[in-house]
Amino acid sequence: MNINPTSGKPLYEQLMFGIKQDILLGILQPGDKLPSVREMAQRQLVNPNTVAKAYKVLESQEVIQTVMGRGTFVATHSETRQIDARQLKKFKTQFKELMTEGMYLGLTKNELINLINEWYGGDNSGVKD
Amino acid sequence: MNINPTSGKPLYEQLMFGIKQDILLGILQPGDKLPSVREMAQRQLVNPNTVAKAYKVLESQEVIQTVMGRGTFVATHSETRQIDARQLKKFKTQFKELMTEGMYLGLTKNELINLINEWYGGDNSGVKD
Amino acid sequence: MNINPTSGKPLYEQLMFGIKQDILLGILQPGDKLPSVREMAQRQLVNPNTVAKAYKVLESQEVIQTVMGRGTFVATHSETRQIDARQLKKFKTQFKELMTEGMYLGLTKNELINLINEWYGGDNSGVKD
Amino acid sequence: MNINPTSGKPLYEQLMFGIKQDILLGILQPGDKLPSVREMAQRQLVNPNTVAKAYKVLESQEVIQTVMGRGTFVATHSETRQIDARQLKKFKTQFKELMTEGMYLGLTKNELINLINEWYGGDNSGVKD
DNA sequence: GTGGTCTAGACCACC
DNA sequence: GTGGTCTAGACCACA
């Protein structure tokens, strides 16, 4: 996980993304303890307030859980996490815009679809890069 | 193209997206004249400066071209449509982040592909599932 | 001489530059007759007013001369054309700014000097490109 | 760095030039913090929006970098300082035009070279006359 | 008519 | 504190 303060993206969002990605990649497993706010802040060279905000939003998304006095832990994926309609709508909007950008960068629709196939793993046989 | 002042997204970015989409959908053809800054501002109920900013960024991306004193036109990106390496890198980063979000929202691969088809027609020839 | 309406530079300045360059290259000789305003406008696909403005400024710079009823002619260089102090100051300012830009583009001071040597012709032996 | 509101040149371009020059002259070093938008605006007696525009263009040219919430800094263009082909072409066009002007003003080659030396020190080793 | 620049002043997100 | 966005309204050069 790398934080780039000049990327224009909010630091707390970059932190959130890094943690989510670590979970998806298996680096962080459900139940694992996350570094404390202060420790994470030192590691990533950001303000503790920034880490606290990232943790707070992640908790509201039920990605992590805070246990008072014990720390912050990766949530167990099996819980009944219902899809937030607002989040879903926002995602779809962002997705469409990103696809539009991609086509402007010269990527064809099929290249975009193949990119998705790649990311979702599964059947990658014959997928063009 | 509709501008939503309450969406949280900058108005000028919404304008940019709308114009790019109109071009991709063929509503705007290369060489077509865009509404003048003032006219577009009236149509979309935004300040002319906001439109001017959108136009200027689009021009820097070579999506449109301005002819001083005459107006703004959809670019004819003729032959020299070279892919900007920096923009492509940025796109891939955004793509990765968005895919991570999508997985967390529980979206399947096919749902995403359907989203693309919904917007850009349904010819999937050459795409492997 | 090519006029590019999307370059951002005023069309009348582009015209002026083209004429000056033709003179320096010998394509236009002192005493030669320039195309009429209307003919030049047709050739370059610009408004006659634009050509008229270019001619007017060139005449104020004593580069060309208009003879009422006969047309416009390239001035004879030998006339006592005194250097306009204001023009000279403006030139120096532009020159310094351009050199600064050049250094930012990665050109070294020596490359800039060599570019000048090239343009002023004369002793080009051993000048790096 | 001085801003002259009556020079006819856009104020934001004057700001850009002043900052670039300060960097080339070593007054500003890579990593140095620039005055905040508001402070620079006060110093130069211009509107903060004007400063913001100058900073934004400079950032797009990778001359400076902004860290949201912290400020603006002189870029450390590390190793990947690749010459932008488009910018270089634009530079050469401007250079040609300026040289044409210079010849018309009767400036000699040495006068131009002296102008460069005046601004960027006098080490001419390796330059052929 | 067009876009380009500038000002004044507001509100916001981020750190 | 920082920069980012937006508005309102002005003036200018260019075609």
Side-chain angles (χ1 to χ4, degrees):
Chain A
M1 173 174 24
N2 285 320
I3 303 297
N4 175 10
T6 71
S7 79
K9 282 206 64 170
L11 302 189
Y12 80 93
E13 282 186 14
Q14 294 185 50
L15 268 172
M16 285 170 59
F17 171 70
I19 292 168
K20 282 184 176 175
Q21 203 177 31
D22 281 355
I23 295 173
L24 286 176
L25 293 172
I27 297 172
L28 286 171
Q29 299 281 346
D32 280 1
K33 187 174 184 304
L34 288 165
S36 74
V37 166
R38 270 176 294 179
E39 190 187 341
M40 180 66 94
Q42 277 190 324
R43 276 198 215 169
Q44 302 294 342
L45 302 174
V46 296
N47 192 294
N49 292 330
T50 304
V51 179
K53 177 162 186 179
Y55 278 14
K56 192 178 154 197
V57 178
L58 283 174
E59 195 175 6
S60 79
Q61 291 179 354
E62 300 182 39
V63 172
I64 63 179
Q65 286 176 315
T66 301
V67 182
M68 287 284 296
R70 293 205 39 236
T72 306
F73 302 85
V74 178
T76 60
H77 216 55
S78 57
E79 295 176 23
T80 56
R81 193 156 59 75
Q82 57 186 357
I83 295 180
D84 183 337
R86 253 207 332 234
Q87 264 187 292
L88 187 62
K89 191 179 173 191
K90 187 182 169 192
F91 172 83
K92 285 190 178 177
T93 303
Q94 289 182 315
F95 184 76
K96 281 183 223 156
E97 293 182 17
L98 197 57
M99 292 302 102
T100 300
E101 287 300 325
M103 293 185 83
Y104 251 98
L105 287 173
L107 299 170
T108 66
K109 189 180 69 170
N110 291 343
E111 285 174 317
L112 294 174
I113 291 176
N114 286 334
L115 264 179
I116 294 175
N117 279 329
E118 263 181 74
W119 259 79
Y120 268 76
D123 176 18
N124 275 4
S125 62
V127 174
K128 303 171 191 168
D129 187 33
Chain B
M1 173 179 23
N2 285 318
I3 301 300
N4 175 8
T6 70
S7 79
K9 279 209 61 172
L11 304 186
Y12 80 94
E13 282 185 13
Q14 294 184 48
L15 268 170
M16 286 171 59
F17 173 68
I19 291 167
K20 281 183 175 173
Q21 190 135 283
D22 281 355
I23 296 174
L24 283 177
L25 294 173
I27 298 172
L28 286 172
Q29 300 281 345
D32 281 0
K33 186 177 182 304
L34 289 166
S36 77
V37 167
R38 292 160 172 87
E39 190 187 340
M40 180 67 96
Q42 276 191 324
R43 278 197 212 171
Q44 303 292 344
L45 303 176
V46 296
N47 189 283
N49 288 332
T50 305
V51 179
K53 181 169 185 180
Y55 279 14
K56 215 170 182 198
V57 178
L58 285 175
E59 190 181 17
S60 78
Q61 294 178 352
E62 296 185 55
V63 173
I64 62 180
Q65 287 176 316
T66 71
V67 182
M68 279 211 14
R70 296 217 20 244
T72 307
F73 303 83
V74 177
T76 69
H77 21 66
S78 56
E79 68 284 0
T80 56
R81 181 115 186 83
Q82 55 186 356
I83 294 180
D84 184 333
R86 203 189 311 165
Q87 276 186 298
L88 187 61
K89 190 180 170 191
K90 190 181 169 193
F91 170 80
K92 289 198 171 171
T93 302
Q94 288 182 312
F95 184 81
K96 272 196 295 184
E97 294 181 17
L98 203 54
M99 286 302 100
T100 302
E101 285 299 325
M103 291 177 86
Y104 256 95
L105 287 171
L107 290 166
T108 68
K109 183 171 63 176
N110 285 335
E111 286 175 311
L112 295 176
I113 292 174
N114 284 337
L115 268 178
I116 295 182
N117 284 329
E118 214 177 293
W119 276 81
Y120 301 112
D123 176 15
N124 276 3
S125 62
V127 177
K128 295 268 186 174
D129 184 37
Chain C
M1 173 175 22
N2 285 319
I3 303 298
N4 175 10
T6 71
S7 78
K9 281 206 63 169
L11 302 189
Y12 80 93
E13 282 185 14
Q14 293 185 50
L15 267 171
M16 286 171 58
F17 171 69
I19 291 167
K20 282 183 177 176
Q21 203 177 31
D22 281 355
I23 295 173
L24 286 176
L25 293 172
I27 297 172
L28 286 172
Q29 299 281 347
D32 280 1
K33 187 174 183 303
L34 287 165
S36 74
V37 166
R38 270 176 294 179
E39 190 187 339
M40 180 67 96
Q42 276 190 326
R43 276 198 215 170
Q44 302 293 341
L45 303 174
V46 296
N47 192 295
N49 292 331
T50 305
V51 178
K53 177 161 187 181
Y55 279 15
K56 192 176 152 198
V57 179
L58 283 174
E59 196 176 6
S60 79
Q61 292 179 354
E62 300 182 39
V63 172
I64 62 178
Q65 285 176 316
T66 300
V67 182
M68 286 286 294
R70 293 203 41 235
T72 306
F73 301 85
V74 178
T76 60
H77 216 57
S78 57
E79 294 176 20
T80 56
R81 192 157 59 74
Q82 56 185 357
I83 295 180
D84 183 337
R86 251 203 338 228
Q87 262 188 293
L88 187 61
K89 190 179 173 190
K90 187 182 169 192
F91 172 82
K92 285 189 178 177
T93 303
Q94 288 182 316
F95 183 77
K96 282 183 223 158
E97 292 182 16
L98 197 58
M99 292 303 101
T100 301
E101 288 300 325
M103 293 186 83
Y104 251 97
L105 286 173
L107 300 170
T108 66
K109 189 180 70 171
N110 291 344
E111 284 173 319
L112 294 175
I113 291 175
N114 286 333
L115 264 179
I116 294 174
N117 279 329
E118 263 182 73
W119 259 81
Y120 267 75
D123 176 19
N124 274 6
S125 61
V127 174
K128 302 172 193 170
D129 186 36
Chain D
M1 173 178 22
N2 284 319
I3 301 300
N4 174 9
T6 69
S7 79
K9 278 209 61 173
L11 305 186
Y12 80 94
E13 283 185 13
Q14 293 183 49
L15 268 170
M16 286 171 59
F17 174 67
I19 291 168
K20 281 184 177 175
Q21 191 136 282
D22 281 355
I23 296 174
L24 283 178
L25 294 173
I27 298 171
L28 287 172
Q29 299 281 346
D32 281 0
K33 186 176 182 306
L34 289 164
S36 78
V37 167
R38 292 160 172 87
E39 189 187 341
M40 180 67 96
Q42 277 192 323
R43 278 198 212 170
Q44 303 293 344
L45 304 175
V46 296
N47 189 283
N49 288 332
T50 304
V51 179
K53 181 169 184 179
Y55 279 14
K56 215 169 183 199
V57 178
L58 284 174
E59 190 181 18
S60 78
Q61 293 178 353
E62 297 185 53
V63 172
I64 62 181
Q65 288 177 315
T66 73
V67 182
M68 279 208 17
R70 299 222 10 247
T72 308
F73 303 83
V74 178
T76 69
H77 20 66
S78 56
E79 68 284 359
T80 56
R81 180 115 187 82
Q82 57 186 352
I83 295 181
D84 184 334
R86 201 189 312 165
Q87 276 187 297
L88 188 60
K89 189 181 170 190
K90 190 182 168 192
F91 170 80
K92 288 197 172 172
T93 302
Q94 289 182 310
F95 185 80
K96 272 197 294 184
E97 294 181 18
L98 203 55
M99 286 303 100
T100 301
E101 286 298 326
M103 291 176 86
Y104 255 95
L105 288 171
L107 290 166
T108 68
K109 182 171 63 174
N110 285 335
E111 285 175 311
L112 295 176
I113 292 174
N114 284 337
L115 269 178
I116 295 182
N117 284 329
E118 214 177 293
W119 277 80
Y120 301 112
D123 176 16
N124 276 4
S125 61
V127 177
K128 294 268 186 174
D129 185 36

